[in-house]
Amino acid sequence: MEIWINPACSKCRSAIGLLEAEGADYTVRRYLEDVPGKDEIRAVLERLGLEPWDITRTQEAVAKELGMKEWARDAASRDRWIAALAEHPGLIQRPIITADDGTALVARTDEAVREALARKES
């Protein structure tokens, strides 16, 4: 499994701590440095079963500057959202764990991290 983190984020540090405590086999991706491209964001969204606006931190300053709260949330606008996430990775909600079964979760709670750990390849 892989976890996308911002080391400055307390939820990310908490998730890493739980993965460590559980002895999980995982890879850390500092997504602000190793920025995902549009195709990778699309793939993670598919694994999450979410839309780009569902994982966008709309309270961030850059989101406010872009006026993202007013952007349409429909299929025609999806690429615009994905492009913004690729250009401004700080807007991506964190942490995101790609689970071993091919799914992914936004792991902002201990319960979500435990759920990711429970998802094994079948």
Side-chain angles (χ1 to χ4, degrees):
M1 86 176 50
E2 182 176 77
I3 181 168
W4 290 13
I5 69 158
N6 172 351
C9 168
S10 63
K11 301 263 186 211
C12 293
R13 291 191 308 271
S14 176
I16 293 286
L18 185 54
L19 291 174
E20 284 294 317
E22 296 291 329
D25 181 21
Y26 66 95
T27 303
V28 170
R29 177 165 184 180
R30 295 177 179 224
Y31 71 93
L32 297 178
E33 299 162 16
D34 182 8
V35 179
K38 294 178 201 172
D39 289 341
E40 192 170 8
I41 292 169
R42 281 187 192 90
V44 166
L45 286 167
E46 186 173 321
R47 291 177 76 168
L48 286 165
L50 296 173
E51 292 295 339
W53 45 86
D54 296 326
I55 65 162
T56 300
R57 299 171 56 86
T58 57
Q59 294 302 318
E60 295 293 321
V62 74
K64 290 177 180 180
E65 288 171 23
L66 294 170
M68 293 179 83
K69 278 194 169 188
E70 285 73 47
W71 289 10
R73 297 176 183 218
D74 56 23
S77 302
R78 194 169 197 265
D79 285 341
R80 180 183 188 194
W81 284 85
I82 290 169
L85 293 175
E87 186 173 339
H88 307 283
L91 295 176
I92 299 172
Q93 189 59 266
R94 60 193 181 246
I96 292 176
I97 296 177
T98 55
D100 290 339
D101 69 350
T103 63
L105 296 102
V106 177
R108 294 188 56 77
T109 64
D110 287 353
E111 293 77 24
V113 175
R114 286 189 182 94
E115 184 178 340
L117 287 166
R119 294 183 179 187
K120 301 289 182 200
E121 291 182 76
S122 45

